Amino acid sequence: MKHVSEIGSGYGEQGGAGGGERAPAVPDVTLRTDGLPGWLDPVARAAATVRGEQLSRFLPPKDGAGRQSAVLILFGEGERGPELLLMERSGQLRSHAGQPSFPGGALDPEDGDPRTEGPLRAALREAWEETGLDPRGVQLFGVLPKLYIPVSGFVVTPVLGWWRVPTPVAAVDPAETARVFTVPVADLTDPANRATTVHPSGHQGPAFLVESALVWGFTAGVIDRLLHFAGWERPWDRAKTVPLDWRA
């Protein structure tokens, strides 16, 4: 499966988590906020009010160009409280090797209208294909404005979900994904785990040093803004930098 940082779709003839099996049927992808745990209320409110320019300076081209894609931002509740599901790309890949990301990828025609339910179905399908996540245990409760990744030409819809019924997850294809893991929100908000990445090109962006991984790029940018608009952000040292190399 290819991630939104790559060009191409991860959905095709290769099948998904079951080596050819179809994803579990998801009869309803209606966004619902009823029944969410109270700690998710600030995230739901932020999703309903935030504008694209408040999340990123890279917005979809006005001419409609770009390949439609979606990522699943899945919140669960673990032993240490609220947490996020992430995955780490294989270190053997030619681009973005070892980079953590949200599950996600390009929309497939069967996902439906990219202006309505398409991104919701794509986010769940890709999460199943990449991590084995059972989408029937996920309650979708919000969608962030579409964002743009210039390097790959992807127009990305971040879809927010509540892991209402947790199920086992793991890397489905080790050649593509090194591991699947959860990160406590408490670690993401800990100032000691925050930094600014500096690319040789001069570009700078937020980063998180959590679970033996450096979360940066598009994924870190979305997490950073979610923490901010949900009111969870704590003051951190933006002068603390982590260099990236040209392969990043």
Side-chain angles (χ1 to χ4, degrees), residues 191-234:
N193 297 332
R194 304 215 52 182
T196 298
T197 53
V198 181
H199 193 273
S201 65
H203 177 74
Q204 298 187 10
F208 301 84
L209 295 98
V210 290
E211 300 296 322
S212 303
L214 174 65
V215 183
W216 61 280
F218 174 85
T219 303
V222 173
I223 294 174
D224 172 75
R225 293 295 82 197
L226 271 180
L227 296 180
H228 175 77
F229 287 107
W232 294 347
E233 184 180 31
R234 298 165 58 188

Side-chain angles (χ1 to χ4, degrees), residues 11-26:
Y11 189 71
E13 300 300 324
Q14 298 178 6
E21 297 177 5
R22 296 182 63 85
V26 183

Side-chain angles (χ1 to χ4, degrees), residues 94-112:
R94 289 178 294 178
S95 65
H96 302 282
Q99 182 177 355
S101 68
F102 300 118
L107 268 66
D108 184 85
E110 282 87 21
D111 293 324

Side-chain angles (χ1 to χ4, degrees), residues 134-164:
D134 189 337
R136 294 170 295 188
V138 176
Q139 177 181 335
L140 302 181
F141 67 89
V143 174
L144 297 179
K146 293 180 183 290
L147 304 175
Y148 187 59
I149 302 181
V151 67
S152 60
F154 273 99
V155 175
V156 187
T157 300
V159 179
L160 302 174
W162 158 237
W163 208 351
R164 183 172 44 82

Side-chain angles (χ1 to χ4, degrees), residues 103-122:
L107 268 66
D108 184 85
E110 282 87 21
D111 293 324
D113 191 337
R115 297 166 298 181
T116 55
E117 79 280 359
L120 308 182
R121 294 188 184 280

Side-chain angles (χ1 to χ4, degrees), residues 77-100:
E77 191 151 10
E79 295 181 358
R80 295 181 52 206
E83 59 186 17
L84 268 179
L85 178 70
L86 294 177
M87 50 190 289
E88 185 175 304
R89 290 163 52 72
S90 169
Q92 306 305 312
L93 296 176
R94 289 178 294 178
S95 65
H96 302 282
Q99 182 177 355

